DNA sequence: TTTCCACAGGAATAAAGGGCGA
DNA sequence: TCGCCCTTTATTCCTGTGGAAA
């Protein structure tokens, strides 16, 4: 046993393969490129911060805050702006006697239902030894726990629901936004901050939820390539030692982010991955080849993360599309995919699912951005149908699938 | 303007599985 | 242990869609 690791019995080349050495001096503070880092200033988000700040102002006056809805594409600074302003608010509140604020931040990705979200909020407000289980309670009981925990807080409670569009139902939004009117809470001011990447989410909410959740709406525009370079430059100064990036690294990462709809997170992830690869190779500088290699690694991670939650049959359909791509048979319409999918199921001893489920699985793959779909209408003789194809190279999808299945 | 085609996807429902409380 | 309540994944049934042809 060394440092808590149990030495396993599988064959190894030599113990020397696993020794640790001092890294090449590239990163000054690698964490500055991760999602958890909140910079001191947010580049190019002045208008958004001003609107958001105005919506939060009632908290410091111990007034009931407006519910706020933030929307914009992924990686445009919604979560960063929220953490930045709420951090500032919590600091400032300490200077004001008699005013307090409690922030509960919940990421709805992976929770899916109002029931699970309510449980997550309850557990964030409860001590570790008094947490409730993720299932088994009647819904009314879970809401009862929620009102009890909220009423036990002081002053203002702000509940941040990040990726709120991942919820399959809006019951929790209705319950929270109407909690005071319905007499479920009495002693606190409650504000909801909903964050969504889905620009249509707001329109799809029931009218009663839309009017109360979207009292204040802050729209975040996408970063352009110039702003992305500024964001990367700002992080470079904190994250890397001087003269450790070759001059084409930042423009390449910024161009990648700009291609991904102005997504700063993608650009920062690529810069982090390029730095990691340079360090792994014991190189003294991060160069263009690290960025290019990093881009492929990130694509693999995106696919692996997406398909890890998918059903077994969605993966079989992904294999079907890989086979069809290799045979130059994509873009392929659903009716052409189905017989090949069924053949693969037969060969692997699996029972194929219904056509309706195949459609759902193909839609899930497309929603994850692993495949793309194109609707075609050939009119009275041909009808309307969809064609599907892989977004990524077959070998990239293949190695992502292999990493999941290992 | 109406009809037709080939789906796409919403709604209702079932089955299986897991946690909780009595 | 059993009934209840929830989840996820699946099924069947049915309506909606929209461009081309009649």
């Amino acid at each position: 046993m060394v440092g808590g690791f149990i030495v396993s019995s599988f064959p190894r080349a030599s113990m020397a393969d696993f020794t640790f050495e001092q890294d090449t001096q590239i990163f000054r503070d690698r964490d500055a490129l991760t999602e958890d880092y909140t910079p001191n200033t947010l580049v190019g988000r002045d208008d958004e911060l001003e609107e958001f700040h105005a919506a939060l102002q009632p908290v410091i006056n111990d007034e009931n805050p407006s519910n706020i809805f933030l929307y914009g594409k992924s990686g445009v600074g919604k979560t960063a702006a929220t953490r930045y302003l709420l951090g500032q608010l919590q600091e400032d509140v300490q200077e004001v006697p008699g005013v307090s604020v409690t922030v509960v931040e919940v990421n709805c990705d992976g929770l899916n239902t109002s029931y699970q979200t309510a449980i997550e909020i309850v557990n964030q407000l409860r001590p570790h030894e008094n947490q409730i289980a993720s299932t088994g309670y009647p819904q009314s009981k879970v809401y009862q726990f929620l009102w009890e925990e909220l009423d036990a807080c002081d002053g203002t409670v702000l509940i941040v629901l990040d990726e709120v569009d991942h919820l399959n139902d809006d019951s929790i939004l209705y319950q929270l936004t109407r909690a005071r009117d319905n007499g479920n809470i009495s002693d606190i001011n409650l504000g909801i901050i909903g964050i969504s990447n889905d620009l249509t989410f707001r329109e799809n909410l029931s009218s009663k939820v839309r009017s109360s959740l979207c009292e204040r709406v802050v729209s975040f525009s996408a970063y352009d390539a110039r702003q992305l370079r500024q964001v990367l430059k700002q992080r470079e100064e904190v994250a890397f030692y001087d003269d450790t990036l070759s001059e084409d690294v930042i423009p390449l990462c910024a161009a990648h982010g700009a291609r991904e709809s102005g997504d700063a997170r993608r650009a920062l992830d690529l810069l982090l991955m390029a730095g990691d690869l340079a360090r792994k190779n014991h190189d003294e500088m991060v160069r263009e080849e690290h960025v290019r290699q990093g881009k492929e690694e990130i694509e693999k991670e995106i696919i692996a993360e997406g398909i890890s939650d998918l059903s077994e049959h969605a993966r079989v359909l992904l294999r079907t599309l890989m086979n069809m791509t290799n045979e130059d048979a994509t873009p392929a319409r659903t009716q052409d995919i189905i017989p090949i999918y069924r053949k693969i199921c037969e060969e692997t001893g699996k029972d194929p699912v219904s056509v309706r489920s195949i459609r759902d699985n193909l839609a899930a793959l497309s929603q994850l951005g692993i495949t793309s779909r194109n609707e075609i209408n050939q009119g009275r003789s041909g009808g309307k149908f969809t064609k599907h194809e892989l977004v990524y190279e077959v070998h990239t999808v293949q190695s992502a699938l292999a990493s999941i299945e290992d």
Side-chain angles (χ1 to χ4, degrees):
Chain A
M1 286 259 299
V2 180
F5 286 100
I6 297 168
V7 179
S8 58
S9 57
F10 61 82
R12 286 162 48 161
S14 139
M15 290 298 280
D17 295 342
F18 298 98
T19 57
F20 292 92
E21 290 172 24
Q22 177 75 49
D23 287 324
T24 322
Q25 294 294 302
I26 285 182
F27 287 117
R28 179 184 280 137
D29 179 6
R30 183 181 175 278
D31 292 345
L33 297 174
T34 64
E35 204 160 357
D36 294 331
Y37 178 81
T38 306
N40 293 329
T41 55
L42 291 180
V43 173
R45 305 287 88 166
D46 294 348
D47 295 342
E48 290 87 348
L49 284 173
E50 202 169 305
E51 275 185 67
F52 197 0
H53 177 266
L56 288 170
Q57 181 61 32
V59 175
I60 204 95
N61 301 327
D62 206 18
E63 297 162 350
N64 209 27
S66 305
N67 295 318
I68 307 165
F69 185 77
L70 310 182
Y71 76 97
K73 292 183 176 174
S74 61
V76 296
K78 301 183 297 297
T79 308
T82 305
R83 288 186 183 153
Y84 174 75
L85 278 182
L86 292 183
Q88 189 66 51
L89 177 66
Q90 283 174 305
E91 257 180 51
D92 293 345
V93 154
Q94 288 176 11
E95 309 293 320
V96 184
V99 178
S100 66
V101 62
T102 305
V103 174
V104 180
E105 193 183 327
V106 175
N107 191 319
C108 302
D109 182 21
L111 295 174
N112 300 334
T113 61
S114 291
Y115 181 88
Q116 292 294 336
T117 307
I119 287 172
E120 178 64 24
I121 298 170
V122 169
N123 282 338
Q124 285 210 24
L125 291 167
R126 283 190 169 198
H128 184 69
E129 63 277 10
N130 200 19
Q131 306 263 296
I132 59 172
S134 61
T135 180
Y137 295 103
Q139 193 154 26
S140 57
K141 184 85 176 167
V142 173
Y143 281 124
Q144 192 188 323
F145 287 143
L146 179 60
W147 309 135
E148 284 168 9
E149 293 306 323
L150 287 173
D151 247 354
C153 296
D154 292 321
T156 299
V157 179
L158 292 173
I159 298 179
V160 181
L161 299 172
D162 203 351
E163 306 202 45
V164 66
D165 49 288
H166 285 230
L167 295 179
N168 295 332
D169 64 285
D170 58 13
S171 146
I172 184 82
L173 301 176
Y174 178 75
Q175 293 287 342
L176 287 170
T177 55
R178 297 295 172 99
R180 181 174 280 275
D181 293 344
N182 293 343
N184 295 318
I185 53 168
S186 53
D187 298 335
I188 57 157
N189 296 322
L190 180 62
I192 314 302
I193 301 172
I195 305 177
S196 172
N197 299 335
D198 182 353
L199 308 185
T200 63
F201 174 73
R202 195 159 57 110
E203 277 69 44
N204 295 335
L205 288 170
S206 61
S207 56
K208 57 190 180 183
V209 172
R210 194 189 313 142
S211 61
S212 45
L213 175 67
C214 307
E215 287 171 337
R216 301 291 288 263
V217 176
V218 184
S219 160
F220 282 68
S221 54
Y223 287 111
D224 58 31
R226 185 184 56 82
Q227 288 173 322
L228 283 173
R229 279 199 294 275
Q230 284 180 305
V231 171
L232 293 170
K233 263 290 188 214
Q234 180 196 43
R235 301 292 183 95
E236 178 206 354
E237 285 163 17
V238 185
F240 293 96
Y241 285 110
D242 296 342
D243 304 320
T244 50
L245 297 192
S246 73
E247 61 181 27
D248 44 5
V249 167
I250 294 228
L252 268 174
C253 294
H256 173 70
R259 266 197 305 278
E260 299 290 337
S261 316
D263 187 337
R265 186 68 262 148
R266 288 286 186 90
L268 286 164
D269 283 347
L270 181 54
L271 185 57
L272 176 64
M273 182 63 85
D276 279 344
L277 287 167
R279 182 162 74 171
K280 186 178 159 196
N281 295 341
H282 304 289
D283 293 332
E284 287 176 0
M285 275 193 101
V286 186
R287 298 180 196 282
E288 183 187 332
E289 59 264 30
H290 300 124
V291 178
R292 301 207 184 279
Q293 208 184 328
K295 188 166 166 282
E296 192 172 326
E297 289 297 319
I298 284 176
E299 285 176 351
K300 268 188 225 167
E301 281 180 12
I302 290 168
I303 301 168
E305 195 185 323
I307 59 182
S308 64
D309 291 334
L310 286 180
S311 67
E312 183 190 8
H313 288 278
R315 293 185 201 176
V316 177
L317 279 161
L318 192 55
R319 286 198 185 284
T320 306
L321 277 168
M322 284 161 59
N323 288 357
M324 294 181 86
T325 307
N326 282 334
E327 285 165 18
D328 217 13
T330 54
R333 57 194 289 180
T334 310
Q335 67 168 213
D336 295 333
I337 294 171
I338 291 169
I340 299 175
Y341 156 78
R342 286 182 175 148
K343 190 162 166 251
I344 292 178
C345 283
E346 196 184 320
E347 284 167 4
T348 52
K350 294 182 172 76
D351 287 333
V353 291
S354 66
V355 172
R356 182 69 188 84
S357 291
I358 291 172
R359 288 190 207 293
D360 277 342
N361 283 316
L362 286 171
L365 287 171
S366 164
Q367 203 164 19
L368 286 165
I370 298 168
T371 62
S372 67
R373 43 197 289 160
N374 186 23
E375 204 171 81
I376 292 164
N377 195 327
Q378 289 184 341
R380 190 170 174 166
S381 56
K384 201 167 82 163
F385 53 88
T386 309
K387 283 193 165 186
H388 309 260
E389 66 181 323
L390 291 177
V391 167
Y392 300 99
E393 297 289 332
V394 171
H395 67 89
T396 309
V397 180
Q398 174 74 58
S399 59
L401 259 177
S403 73
I404 289 289
E405 283 163 6
D406 280 350

